[in-house]
Amino acid sequence: MSSKDNFINFVISFLAIFFGMLCTFVGQGIIDRAADRNEVRSALELVRSELASNIEDINTMADYLKQEKRSADYFLENRAKLDKCPIDSVNFHAGMLLADASMTLPHNALELLKMSSLFQKLGDDQLSMDIIRAYDSCEYSVAKYNEFISDRDEKFNQTINENSITQFASSGYIDIKKFINTTNGLYTIRWITTQVTPDKEQFINDVERAISSIDRYLAAGRQSHNKKLRKN
């Protein structure tokens, strides 16, 4: 075989190897980008679900505090005639006032985004900021609601404590009638009716904005994917 033939064979072999490696790298790149898109999509769906759940919890806490204020109003209005009030109504409103309450909101999906460096793969700085702000608002809402509840509990504890519990709970349950007829008890009820509870809208607005941004991002991704499928 001549030197020319050897050279041609070498070039052909080299090109075959080169294009084979090129196809491999290009194909792997396509696969990696598709995997990244799927990973981002799955993470965003988790974030959306978690934020939507947080909105429900914020609404639940806000509704509870509204009802608590209505229950306090009920006892102030009927203080002089509680013995004549329906026992079911008294028990319901007493239960609202004396219920244990606290609030926590998860942020596991946000931690997943941070730990897996998916924020960098989003390619959308505004979306990233919307998500971070939403979780900041969730954290702030927890702090404000729990602060309010802590203040309320402190007022109750001034009257109902280990030294006085037998006076108000001789039957095993706190007697709201005895409680409201004490100076501190009446003050606590009045305090509840006059307090301005945290405004849920200031928290929820940021969370809803993040959810809308996620929806637009996911919808744009689906549209892009569908266009590629139609072209193929």
Side-chain angles (χ1 to χ4, degrees):
M1 184 177 294
S2 65
S3 299
K4 182 179 180 180
D5 292 336
N6 289 334
F7 177 74
I8 292 174
N9 289 335
F10 170 77
V11 170
I12 292 173
S13 297
F14 174 79
L15 290 175
I17 294 173
F18 173 78
F19 284 114
M21 293 179 63
L22 180 62
C23 290
T24 299
F25 285 129
V26 171
Q28 188 61 48
I30 294 173
I31 293 173
D32 290 342
R33 286 193 295 273
D36 287 344
R37 286 194 298 271
N38 289 335
E39 189 177 10
V40 168
R41 187 183 305 110
S42 297
L44 286 179
E45 287 172 350
L46 286 176
V47 170
R48 190 195 188 288
S49 177
E50 189 169 74
L51 289 177
S53 177
N54 286 354
I55 287 179
E56 292 180 4
D57 290 342
I58 292 172
N59 279 324
T60 298
M61 177 58 75
D63 290 344
Y64 164 71
L65 292 180
K66 284 183 180 180
Q67 179 57 57
E68 182 184 59
K69 183 173 289 191
R70 286 194 290 267
S71 293
D73 283 330
Y74 175 86
F75 284 113
L76 286 183
E77 293 171 2
N78 296 283
R79 181 187 174 204
K81 52 180 180 180
L82 282 179
D83 288 334
K84 298 179 180 179
C85 292
I87 188 62
D88 289 343
S89 296
V90 172
N91 289 340
F92 170 78
H93 291 295
M96 292 303 302
L97 288 176
L98 302 172
D100 290 330
S102 64
M103 185 176 178
T104 59
L105 295 177
H107 49 82
N108 299 322
L110 176 64
E111 294 304 315
L112 173 64
L113 280 177
K114 290 179 178 179
M115 293 173 57
S116 56
S117 301
L118 289 177
F119 269 126
Q120 290 84 343
K121 297 178 182 179
L122 286 178
D124 189 327
D125 292 339
Q126 185 58 53
L127 174 59
S128 299
M129 289 302 299
D130 286 344
I131 291 174
I132 292 173
R133 182 176 299 174
Y135 277 99
D136 284 345
S137 291
C138 288
E139 185 175 350
Y140 185 57
S141 73
V142 169
K144 296 303 292 183
Y145 280 121
N146 284 339
E147 179 183 3
F148 182 88
I149 292 168
S150 178
D151 289 344
R152 180 208 66 178
D153 289 346
E154 183 179 349
K155 300 294 187 300
F156 275 111
N157 291 337
Q158 290 175 2
T159 303
I160 304 174
N161 51 54
E162 60 182 7
N163 296 322
S164 64
I165 189 65
T166 54
Q167 174 187 352
F168 299 107
S170 56
S171 63
Y173 298 95
I174 295 174
D175 189 329
I176 193 67
K177 298 175 185 177
K178 291 180 179 179
F179 173 78
I180 201 173
N181 282 321
T182 65
T183 301
N184 284 338
L186 182 58
Y187 167 73
T188 300
I189 299 299
R190 284 177 174 163
W191 180 87
I192 292 174
T193 64
T194 59
Q195 292 306 296
V196 178
T197 57
D199 179 14
K200 69 176 183 178
E201 297 304 326
Q202 64 176 311
F203 313 126
I204 289 179
N205 287 343
D206 286 337
V207 181
E208 289 180 336
R209 185 180 299 111
I211 290 176
S212 295
S213 296
I214 291 172
D215 287 342
R216 287 194 297 271
Y217 184 94
L218 293 176
R222 286 191 293 269
Q223 289 175 0
S224 176
H225 179 67
N226 290 336
K227 286 181 180 178
K228 290 180 180 179
L229 289 178
R230 285 194 294 269
K231 287 181 180 180
N232 294 334

